[in-house]
Structure formats: C-alpha cells, structure tokens
Amino acid sequence: MIKTSWVGGANAPEADFPLNNLPYGVFSRAGEGLRCGVAIGDFVADLAVLETAGLLEVSGFTAPVLNGFMARGKAAWAAARARLAELFAQAGDPVLRDNAALREAVLIPRSDVTMHMPFAVAGYTDFYAGRHHAENVGTMFRGAENALPPNWLSIPIGYNGRASTVVVSGTEIRRPLGQIKPPDAELPVFSPTKRLDIELEFGAVLGQGTEMGAPLTVAEADELIFGYVLLNDWSARDIQAWEYQPLGPFQAKVFATSISPWVVTREALEPFRVAAPKRARPLLPYLREPGPMLYDVQLEVHMRAAGQEQDTVISRTNTRELYYSAAQQLAHHAIGGCKMSVGDLLGSGTISGPEKDSRGSLLEITWGGKEPLTLSGGVERRFIEDGDTLTLTGFAQGDGYRIGFGNCVGTISPAPALRPEWIE
Ligand code: MN
C-alpha cells in the first residue's frame, strides 16, 4: 500500500518518489554548494537543512557525497528512513509540515536543482550475470556452440572497471578512440568507435566494506548493500571485439559509465524480492542464496536520434532476468580476500530478456548491426550516432504506488579530433 504524504506529487500512483521510496542523492541549486537530499514527490528535501535544524538524529548529510552517511551503517540507515517517513507522512510528526518557513527551506522543487554524483565511487566492478545477454553475445563473438563460457553457470563472471569515469545521469559522453580491426583487414586501425553501444544494468552501491582477507557469506554480503541505481555501461563493440581476449574488456568500457542520480535503498526494495531462475547446475555452497535475492524492477531503454524530438522505447525488460544477484556477486568478489569499500559500485551485467524487444544492448537488438532499428522520425540506427540520446528508466510496481529510479540519461558528443601523428 502507498504511504500517504503531505508533500506535493508524492501520492500519485505513477510517481517515482512516493513516501515508500525515499531515495538519496546529491543536488545543488544555482550558485550554491552540493548537499545530500532525499526525493519525495515533486521535491528534493534538503537533508543538510533538516540535520542543522536538529530534526534528524542521524548526521552526515552536510557533506557533498553520501559516503559519510552510508559508512554509519545499517542502524543509521534504518533510523534516518524511519525519521524521514515520520516527517513526511500525512499523519506523522507535524513539526515540519506545520512550519512554513522551515518547509520552504527544506523542500525544493526538483525542477530547480542540478543532480550530482550521489557518492564517491571507491571501485567499480562490472559483472556479466544476465544469461540471455551472455548467450547472445557469445553466439555473435564465438558461435552458438560456444555461446556460454564453460565457467558461466558456476561463477558470477566480472572484471575490474574504472571508478574514475563513473558519471551522473546527464553528463555528456564523448565517443572514444581506439584500436579496431575491421573484419576483412589483417591489422588494426586507429579510429573513433563505429559501434558505440549501451548496456542496461542494475548497479549495487556498497554502504559498508570488508577487511582484506575477510570473506563473506551471501547473506552477510546482502547486508553491506546500501541501495541500487540504474547503470549504463557504455561500450565500444569494435574496440571490445579486438581487445577482449584473454583479459576481458579494457578500452572498450573505460571511457564512461553513467548512473541514475537517486540511490534507491535496499529497504525500499524489500517488498519486491524475487527468487533467482532455476539453477542449470548446482552452485557451490558459498554462492547459494539464503532466500530470494533478486528484485522485480521493470526497466526500459529509450533512444532519441540526433535532431529528433521523440524518444522511442527500444527495450523493455526486468532485473529478475539476472542469474546472479548483487549479493552473490559481492560474496564471490570478497571470497578470495579482496577488500571491499564504502562507495564500491557493482554493475550487474547487461539485463536482456528472452525476446528481441527485451534485449539490453544495441549489439543484441540489431544483432551486431545486421537488423537495424527504426526510431521515431523514421531514422535508422545500428549503433549510436553522435547527438543521439539514450535514457534508462525503471521502477518496481507496488499496490497503488511505484518505487521509481528516475532517469539515467546520456547524449553522445563527437570523438576528439584525430591528430596526424596518431594516424600517419
Ligand atoms: Mn557491462
């Protein structure tokens, strides 16, 4: 059931941010510094103002990132959430609702703010936990008989990405340069990527870390996760195809990863847990789930061609399509002794469903560029062109309310000019 609030826009059945949600982010108003906020209805509640006014028992919100608050741990997360719910509930504590001056200072229309990176990314690891995606890509890169690598059904496969280029929704993404080997050529050329792509993913944000050499159970791993964001793992497929063996993606992925600006808490998603798909092969005991560890979050990818007004929905899928949960990925990550940190980000891997219109990358939707898409305006696309805009959206559907994630948007700008000494 929806928890009703006195804040404008919070009770609409299709609103992203009802009282049930309360996701955390970092925002600024023109000419002002960055502070932590929580989204409620059509507003951002300024948590720094609430903290300074003595209305929150939990501190850490005056910082320009959520890391300090996250590091306080599970009891502090629960206390802050309970207190915020009390302050914004229709029939809650009236101390904010009935104080016009304070209300004015705390609640800022979301249309008046700029969103920033919600947390400082300590490390970024990207996984490959979508079975349909792994099978589709494997079929294209290695043939149908080798589609799924032999370890895939046993290991949540991942690689270490770059924290330095994780950016918030709205950040312009520059087309990368790199080595590409055209299929009919013997040797590679240096060029802007011609096969720029997205990967629709779910990102887990760690609010607690581990010590080096200290492994975890899956249940313990789950407790370290503060919340989730939508994540677009931008990918250059031609660079990837040439470089990825034997160590996996490198330059094909390091140029940018976009995330949605609101971290939706694990607590808000609790009613939406679902069981993992049937295991094709028994998992080793250290990876077994103690209960349902996936979530039922509906996802969409929108694409707008350069110069066009309208988005086209190019994919609809769901996080329940994943084979491994973030908790399993995290347990696997730490089991060998890797230290995990507050602010670590784990990408799920591309989330594709079984149908063509539920695939989470253009590589799969256009099957390597062989089956072009027609977008609004009659524009045809195989991969992403300069000026195109890609938007990921998602929400969990409750009884009369939604837990929304907001948008994860990126527009592509042209590659850097090629210098003569690079190509002659
Ligand atoms: Mn990825």
Side-chain angles (χ1 to χ4, degrees):
M1 290 294 286
I2 191 163
K3 298 176 186 167
T4 54
S5 169
W6 52 266
V7 179
N11 302 328
E14 298 196 346
D16 268 347
F17 307 121
L19 188 54
N20 307 58
N21 193 345
L22 298 176
Y24 294 95
V26 168
F27 72 97
S28 68
R29 277 204 279 196
E32 293 179 10
L34 276 55
R35 46 265 186 93
C36 300
V38 75
I40 173 85
D42 299 329
F43 296 84
V44 181
D46 188 331
L47 295 173
V49 172
L50 283 175
E51 182 181 331
T52 308
L55 292 185
L56 291 174
E57 287 110 67
V58 181
S59 61
F61 294 119
T62 53
V65 283
L66 290 167
N67 298 55
F69 167 60
M70 296 194 303
R72 287 173 187 270
K74 208 174 74 161
W77 309 341
R81 181 173 170 81
R83 180 62 178 143
L84 290 167
E86 207 173 49
L87 288 171
F88 297 127
Q90 191 72 57
D93 182 342
V95 62
L96 178 63
R97 188 191 68 198
D98 295 349
N99 182 336
L102 188 59
R103 222 167 50 219
E104 186 84 353
V106 169
L107 291 175
I108 302 154
R110 277 212 321 284
S111 50
D112 290 356
V113 306
T114 303
M115 297 305 296
H116 302 271
M117 271 300 289
F119 57 99
V121 182
Y124 166 48
T125 310
D126 195 38
F127 287 85
Y128 193 52
R131 186 169 177 177
H132 297 294
H133 172 72
E135 287 175 339
N136 287 337
V137 173
T139 300
M140 275 182 267
F141 280 35
R142 292 182 299 273
E145 56 292 344
N146 299 313
L148 218 48
N151 55 9
W152 199 92
L153 294 169
S154 298
I155 298 179
I157 297 175
Y159 67 95
N160 287 293
R162 289 291 298 177
S164 58
T165 28
V166 178
V167 294
V168 74
S169 171
T171 306
E172 203 164 74
I173 306 301
R174 200 165 203 192
R175 179 178 298 275
L177 301 170
Q179 277 200 31
I180 297 163
K181 194 185 83 62
D184 47 357
E186 208 166 307
L187 292 171
V189 297
F190 183 69
S191 155
T193 177
K194 296 182 172 68
R195 296 190 149 214
L196 185 57
D197 199 358
I198 56 156
E199 290 195 335
L200 168 62
E201 301 195 22
F202 202 44
V205 181
L206 267 58
Q208 295 283 281
T210 63
E211 293 305 319
M212 186 172 168
L216 288 172
T217 66
V218 174
E220 287 164 350
D222 193 50
E223 297 283 300
L224 306 187
I225 298 171
F226 174 71
Y228 291 87
V229 292
L230 304 178
L231 184 151
N232 184 349
D233 182 31
W234 301 95
S235 298
R237 300 301 182 190
D238 39 11
I239 297 172
Q240 184 180 356
W242 172 232
E243 76 174 359
Y244 86 104
Q245 286 181 317
L247 292 185
F250 182 43
Q251 293 298 300
K253 307 271 189 172
V254 294
F255 59 96
T257 305
S258 299
I259 62 168
S260 52
W262 296 105
V263 184
V264 174
T265 62
R266 184 162 51 88
E267 214 173 333
L269 288 172
E270 209 53 45
F272 304 97
R273 282 187 183 261
V274 289
K278 193 172 153 18
R279 301 304 176 186
R281 178 194 295 172
L283 294 175
L284 289 169
Y286 84 97
L287 281 175
R288 286 183 201 151
E289 311 95 319
M293 307 302 275
L294 292 176
Y295 296 97
D296 180 358
V297 177
Q298 301 177 39
L299 302 167
E300 281 183 2
V301 182
H302 299 232
M303 185 167 188
R304 189 169 72 242
Q308 298 294 318
E309 301 284 313
Q310 298 272 321
D311 277 14
T312 304
V313 177
I314 61 169
S315 181
R316 285 192 176 88
T317 183
N318 192 300
T319 50
R320 66 191 307 163
E321 297 288 350
L322 290 165
Y323 193 82
Y324 296 104
S325 66
Q328 286 174 305
Q329 293 170 337
L330 176 52
H332 180 69
H333 207 322
I335 206 79
C338 179
K339 175 181 164 65
M340 306 304 300
S341 302
V342 174
D344 274 348
L345 176 65
L346 307 187
S348 61
T350 308
I351 305 166
S352 292
E355 314 297 337
K356 182 170 177 169
D357 60 3
S358 63
R359 295 174 185 162
S361 68
L362 286 169
L363 178 72
E364 295 164 88
I365 294 170
T366 70
W367 206 254
K370 292 194 184 83
E371 301 164 21
L373 267 174
T374 304
L375 303 177
S376 176
V379 185
E380 213 171 74
R381 284 290 186 269
R382 289 173 164 78
F383 290 95
I384 307 171
E385 304 289 333
D386 292 345
D388 290 356
T389 299
L390 276 296
T391 304
L392 314 182
T393 66
F395 61 84
Q397 182 66 58
D399 177 12
Y401 72 97
R402 285 177 174 181
I403 300 294
F405 283 77
N407 293 344
C408 177
V409 188
T411 299
I412 302 303
S413 62
L418 286 170
R419 298 189 195 168
E421 59 265 43
W422 292 341
I423 48 176
E424 277 161 19

